Amino acid sequence: MTLEQLQKDMIAAMKSGEKVRKNVISSLIAAVKKYTIDNGTRDNITEEITDMVILKELKSAKEQLDTCPVEREDLIAEYTTNYEIIKGYAPAQMGEDEIKALLLEKYADKKIYTFIN
């Protein structure tokens, strides 16, 4: 995901009146910019940086959802919506089968297959 795409999506959400979506995307953009300023990469915001920050924000949203009291249904609904929006921007993760195949390919000569099967 690129920062430019996040900005375009935020503008589209503003135009369509999706206030919650706009706010979540805006917070993602702010988190990416904060990370780049803090790490001195302000002029070179790569997709890797953006994806890393999105994954960090996804983890925070998941923790927020997991620690929310059950009786606070209003907050659970809000946190779930935020989590789902962020999840839509998160890079795809490798599945278990893909990880096994990669390990077998990379380390076939090391005889690790007994550990991953």
Side-chain angles (χ1 to χ4, degrees):
M1 177 61 55
T2 63
L3 182 63
E4 292 78 19
Q5 185 60 50
L6 283 174
Q7 291 169 332
K8 288 177 185 177
D9 288 357
M10 185 182 72
I11 292 169
M14 285 186 334
K15 287 181 179 179
S16 66
E18 297 175 88
K19 189 174 183 178
V20 173
R21 184 173 187 77
K22 179 251 173 207
N23 289 339
V24 172
I25 297 171
S26 178
S27 71
L28 288 175
I29 292 170
V32 170
K33 287 182 177 180
K34 180 183 182 323
Y35 177 87
T36 58
I37 290 169
D38 290 348
N39 291 292
T41 57
R42 189 178 203 172
D43 297 328
N44 186 21
I45 303 174
T46 64
E47 283 188 42
E48 291 80 18
I49 290 172
T50 306
D51 287 343
M52 181 186 65
V53 172
I54 290 172
L55 287 173
K56 182 177 180 276
E57 293 298 313
L58 182 67
K59 181 181 176 190
S60 295
K62 178 69 172 152
E63 289 172 357
Q64 192 176 37
L65 182 60
D66 290 344
T67 59
C68 184
V70 177
E71 60 273 2
R72 293 297 309 267
E73 294 176 12
D74 57 328
L75 286 178
I76 290 175
E78 178 185 338
Y79 295 161
T80 301
T81 301
N82 293 349
Y83 177 79
E84 291 300 322
I85 292 170
I86 296 170
K87 186 177 175 184
Y89 289 100
Q93 301 294 305
M94 292 177 70
E96 184 179 338
D97 293 335
E98 292 173 307
I99 293 170
K100 283 182 181 179
L102 178 67
L103 288 173
L104 286 171
E105 176 187 326
K106 294 283 185 185
Y107 301 103
D109 60 328
K110 304 293 186 211
K111 298 184 182 181
I112 65 161
Y113 55 87
T114 56
F115 296 111
I116 61 173
N117 283 330

